[in-house]
Amino acid sequence: MLLRWRRWRRSQPFWGGLVTVAAGVEIAAIPLAPLKVMLHQGVAGTASVLLGAVMVVLGLSAWFTPHHRTLAGVLTVMVAASALVLSNLGGFLIGTVAGVVGGGLVFGWQPEAPAPVSPHPNPPTVKEEA
């Protein structure tokens, strides 16, 4: 079970997706905080919730469709940068910074190259003469 989890985790941009999902949850959670913690925002809070939801979807798409990682990474950075303006300074800067880092990790991830296959099953050995 652990080996299968490790293989799955290494076959897609796991850490970038995780940071992106966490950033999206953080951006969306701030306007949903209790009234004692955060002032009521009204309609302006919907942008925060929507941007956070988009970032969560982008993080999940990086996990489950790693061949779209380039698009997901670029869109994550763009949404995180727009959250800086539209959403409480991007979740008090924590969500924006985490979103930019997560988008960069998703964008920069490359799948492992398969092991090179030798054309001969048993390559000939060279014997040294003394």
Side-chain angles (χ1 to χ4, degrees):
M1 179 74 174
L2 184 62
L3 182 62
R4 196 167 62 180
W5 161 254
R6 188 174 295 157
R7 192 177 310 128
W8 179 82
R9 189 186 69 201
R10 291 181 180 172
S11 66
Q12 61 261 341
F14 177 76
W15 295 111
L18 184 66
V19 172
T20 300
V21 168
V25 167
E26 199 272 333
I27 288 174
I30 288 179
L32 300 176
L35 187 58
K36 293 179 183 177
V37 176
M38 190 69 190
L39 294 175
H40 185 66
Q41 294 184 10
V43 177
T46 58
S48 301
V49 174
L50 289 175
L51 289 173
V54 167
M55 286 183 66
V56 168
V57 168
L58 287 170
L60 292 175
S61 72
W63 280 349
F64 297 112
T65 57
H67 52 278
H68 294 303
R69 68 185 177 277
T70 305
L71 179 65
V74 170
L75 287 178
T76 299
V77 171
M78 291 173 63
V79 169
S82 67
L84 185 65
V85 176
L86 298 173
S87 168
N88 295 322
L89 290 176
F92 302 124
L93 287 178
I94 297 168
T96 294
V97 170
V100 169
V101 168
L105 287 171
V106 168
F107 181 79
W109 178 83
Q110 292 291 323
E112 290 182 7
V117 178
S118 115
H120 303 290
N122 294 324
T125 58
V126 178
K127 294 183 181 179
E128 294 183 21
E129 295 182 24

